Amino acid sequence: MQFPYPRKTSQPPAYQPSRASTFQRRRTLRNLAPYIAGILTLILLFVYFLRPSTPTTTRAPPGTPPVVLVTTLDAKQSEHYKANIIENRKDYASRHGYSTFFPNTTDYDLMSGVPSSWSTVPAMRHALTLYPHTPWIFYLTSTALIMNPSQPLDLKVLDPRKLESLMIVDRPVVPPDSVIKTFSHLKGERIDFILTQDKEGLAGGSLLLRNGEWAKFFLDAWYDPLYRSYNFQKAEGHALEHIVQWHGTVLSKLALVPQRVLNGYTKEVAGSEEGRYQEGDFVANFHGCARDPKRNCEMEMKPLMVRWQELRDGEGRR
Amino acid sequence: MSLDRSPSPRLSGGWSSPGLTTPHDGAANLSRGLSPSKRSNGTPRDVTWASAKAASARVNGYPSYTSQNQGFFSRHMRKVSEALPYFAHGGQEDRLREKEKLGRGRAGPAIRYLYRRTSYLGGGSKFVIILGANQGGGVMEWKGAREWAIERDSVKNKKRYANEWGYELEIVDMATKKRYAHEWRESWEKVDVIRNSMRKYPNAEWFWWLDLNTFIMEPSYSLQSHIFSNLQATTYRDINLYNPLHIQHPPNGTSGDPNAPKFANYLDPISLSATGDSDPNSINLLVPQDCGGFNLGSFFVKRSDWTDRLLDVWWDPVFYEQKHMEWEHKEQDALEYIYTNQPWVRPHVAFVPQRKINAFPHGACGDNRGVPEGGCGGLDITGKEPKGGKEKECGVQGIHYQEKERDFLVNMAGCEWGRDCWGEMYNFRELSMKLNRHLWEKFKDWWDGEDEEELKKKEEVKKKKEGKKE
């Protein structure tokens, strides 16, 4: 261009009002500010308290137990054995205000020709129905004993932070080489299903299930007739492993904890050393003693049963 | 691109990429573009894209401002000239009017679309229509001109409807994918498609799956007014009202064998109730039932945890292995199976009478039984005997499309087995246009009264021909 000096830009700078008028405006704003803030707060409170609220869940009636212990009893077991088991559970429950539930394996309509171990699933579903306000269901198989009843379950495993510290992450669900691994970033509050893993796979003898819509979905899906008719080798155990690996909505609510926390195996069971029950552990599980014809549950359980009774009576004397 | 360490707190963080510089830094560079000498020392921390561009502009020797396109008109000439109305072409107005009024160059429909979408005014953005297009094709099913025409009509019809009411439309390519190929999950891809749509439209609440062979006959009905504003009156949860599959409802936790010993019923009260918790807000799946069971040609799914779980368990290899020879309708039969055998599903499923969203043409599921004189008098889902009894199409057991009742949508299901898909699509399209024609056209038709008799005669001849074909 032919101008002697650099041109002004075609975008002139924005209009700057004089200092006096901005000061005036700011002062009126400052005067009015409390009134404006007050009116806004009133409007917000109005909206907050009078908006249509979603129906909250009914409050649990007083006296609701925080946990229900479920154990299915087999008709093949002797009365003496069953009485011992019942005593064992009731003792633990009474110490911490829990309830117990003892259905028989024949109470539920498993299809014909289906192993009675499948009764675990409708038993838990029944517990959800009988105790609709109880937040947790603890299923423990009738081949296990609670040896150390001193700690309540929420301190031991149910508290979300404790659960997060115990959770085993990124572990193949079915060792050694399942491609499905437990999730790494699950929050304790979102976990609805806690169990342990033994050397072969998921250990279904000791399960913690949170009561709610997910529990109903999970148990009904597990109990589907097509899983029972498929004749898995380990019945509901294999069905559980199948569901966990094929359905992400189940895996995302599952947490694995170290075996000795909930489900230590005794020395008669062929298992890994880190899952072996030791004196002071919570549960001793004589896993497989009922299925294996060479073993006898009552005989195996006798020493530990006696030990448990000793410990319990010892406390009474102190 | 992802950062493999968190950005450092220094200005521009040492990354020479525009998106990762702080805005302050970028602005500073641009405003000082004319005198970049302070910034050109080339240390790594100051090498940003903006400064590099400024440096290269200097090196090239061109002026750092453009002398062209400085004025208002030179920059906006194209936009201004396009917006001006043009009167030069004589007979073009008629042509423009006949084109689909998809909001091309018109402000009215565009504004209506926007306000119908918002959640507080119309709620349209809460609905997603998922249309499974491009079905068939390949070597197994040749797609000729007719199939393409059907697809074009169907897609245009849904697009127009979605634009009218502000809904989202997701047209999904259902070309046979390798992993769904024969004998392995074929037809279950619907489930994955719905899951993907839920991820793609995170604010939407209801997802409406539509098969390709469907046609929306009454685009003036919005989904909200037709069904969703009054779910209690338009849907029913107790399948005993109309139970073509004879499913035992409510479930009782046993296998149903009357000779078996008494078993405990372990289900909770809501699962045992015939209507769930009777709360319309807990409905998560709306399915119509045709003469043989559930029909998944047109159904609604709501976003919820329950829906996530259902979409997850819908396909399972153990189920598939045992049942796929039996399940002729694949995912439809799978859903019927899950509904029957897993009690957690029932409290959240509701059924909608078929004529509401999925009317069949004459020939699908038997013959059109017609409606009694004077019409059906509204939909009644309380279980009373419908007008005309079971022999007519009133009430929840009505299946076929009724022109007099102005049914919403036609699903030409099974038209490829023995009927004429294209013929049906064409006829329904013409019928829909005729039923929803402009007031002016209705007046013109009335005015040409003497020609109407001839039209009627032509229609009767056509109907007779169709009747002969069946």
Side-chain angles (χ1 to χ4, degrees), chain B residues 71-213:
Chain B
F72 171 75
F73 277 110
S74 55
R75 272 176 289 134
H76 298 285
M77 175 58 86
R78 192 177 60 83
K79 278 192 199 157
V80 167
S81 68
E82 246 187 27
L84 288 172
Y86 44 96
F87 301 105
H89 321 282
Q92 295 260 354
E93 285 96 22
D94 280 330
R95 220 166 43 120
L96 287 172
R97 228 188 298 131
E98 270 163 23
K99 274 189 195 162
E100 288 281 356
K101 294 179 190 135
L102 281 175
R104 206 183 305 203
R106 300 162 82 93
I111 293 177
R112 201 171 54 172
Y113 175 78
L114 283 173
Y115 82 69
R116 274 185 174 156
R117 277 178 64 83
T118 54
S119 58
Y120 44 92
L121 280 177
S125 57
K126 285 200 311 184
F127 295 90
V128 176
I129 306 176
I130 308 175
L131 180 63
N134 197 17
Q135 264 155 349
V139 187
M140 301 299 290
E141 292 164 26
W142 178 248
K143 274 179 87 165
R146 288 185 163 216
E147 282 74 29
W148 286 114
I150 293 171
E151 190 160 325
R152 183 201 67 211
D153 274 351
S154 181
V155 169
K156 208 154 70 157
N157 171 252
K158 312 300 183 295
K159 270 196 183 151
R160 185 176 159 221
Y161 184 68
N163 275 333
E164 167 112 13
W165 289 104
Y167 303 145
E168 305 275 7
L169 176 62
E170 171 86 359
I171 301 176
V172 182
D173 185 0
M174 304 293 287
T176 331
K177 290 193 166 59
K178 203 163 185 182
R179 64 187 161 127
Y180 295 110
H182 177 66
E183 287 290 5
W184 185 252
R185 294 189 67 167
E186 187 183 353
S187 181
W188 264 270
E189 58 265 23
K190 211 180 267 191
V191 177
D192 287 344
V193 160
I194 296 177
R195 253 202 291 224
N196 289 340
S197 298
M198 286 185 150
R199 218 176 293 139
K200 188 171 168 184
Y201 297 98
N203 294 324
E205 194 188 354
W206 283 99
F207 294 82
W208 184 16
W209 170 272
L210 273 180
D211 273 354
L212 189 63
N213 287 327

Side-chain angles (χ1 to χ4, degrees), chain B residues 282-458:
Chain B
S282 69
I283 297 178
N284 286 331
L285 178 64
L286 266 178
V287 184
Q289 291 193 86
D290 63 22
C291 56
F294 297 6
N295 187 290
L296 293 183
S298 159
F299 68 98
F300 288 89
V301 186
K302 186 167 160 183
R303 175 193 295 281
S304 69
D305 285 338
W306 179 94
T307 308
D308 290 338
R309 294 165 199 157
L310 178 71
L311 295 176
D312 195 15
V313 295
W314 202 322
W315 188 85
D316 184 270
V318 167
F319 294 6
Y320 185 81
E321 191 178 320
Q322 295 177 72
K323 287 286 196 179
H324 72 273
M325 297 312 272
E326 218 176 284
W327 284 344
E328 223 181 83
H329 292 124
K330 306 191 178 165
E331 84 285 356
Q332 202 166 280
D333 291 339
L335 182 63
E336 288 166 6
Y337 174 81
I338 293 176
Y339 180 86
T340 310
N341 288 287
Q342 295 187 18
W344 67 281
V345 163
R346 295 197 200 194
H348 296 275
V349 175
F351 301 99
V352 62
Q354 168 113 325
R355 274 179 46 226
K356 268 261 180 201
I357 57 166
N358 196 22
F360 276 3
H362 172 79
C365 247
D367 293 343
N368 188 347
R369 294 165 289 177
V371 287
E373 282 297 316
C376 284
L379 176 67
D380 181 9
I381 55 161
T382 54
K384 294 208 303 270
E385 183 78 4
K387 246 178 130 179
K390 294 270 187 307
E391 297 82 43
K392 297 284 184 186
E393 298 278 353
C394 289
V396 298
Q397 41 98 32
I399 292 175
H400 295 97
Y401 172 76
Q402 302 303 326
E403 183 184 326
K404 286 208 194 64
E405 302 280 316
R406 303 290 288 267
D407 286 340
F408 178 47
L409 184 146
V410 171
N411 177 2
M412 288 153 262
C415 63
E416 54 264 12
W417 312 110
R419 305 202 313 265
D420 177 14
C421 283
W422 168 239
E424 287 185 356
M425 175 70 88
Y426 179 80
N427 287 330
F428 279 115
R429 192 189 75 195
E430 293 297 304
L431 180 59
S432 168
M433 278 178 14
K434 176 172 154 252
L435 290 172
N436 290 300
R437 57 186 191 261
H438 213 243
L439 206 58
W440 168 243
E441 285 163 47
K442 279 194 185 137
F443 176 73
K444 277 201 294 187
D445 286 343
W446 171 81
W447 187 255
D448 309 327
E450 49 267 26
D451 292 344
E452 232 182 73
E453 315 256 322
E454 287 180 36
L455 279 168
K456 265 196 193 149
K457 280 188 193 145
K458 275 194 201 158

Side-chain angles (χ1 to χ4, degrees), chain A residues 109 125 129 224 229 247 249, chain B residues 255 266 268 312 316 337 342:
Chain A
D109 185 8
R125 188 70 157 93
T129 302
D224 192 292
S229 66
H247 297 297
T249 47
Chain B
S255 61
Y266 52 85
D268 56 294
D312 195 15
D316 184 270
Y337 174 81
Q342 295 187 18

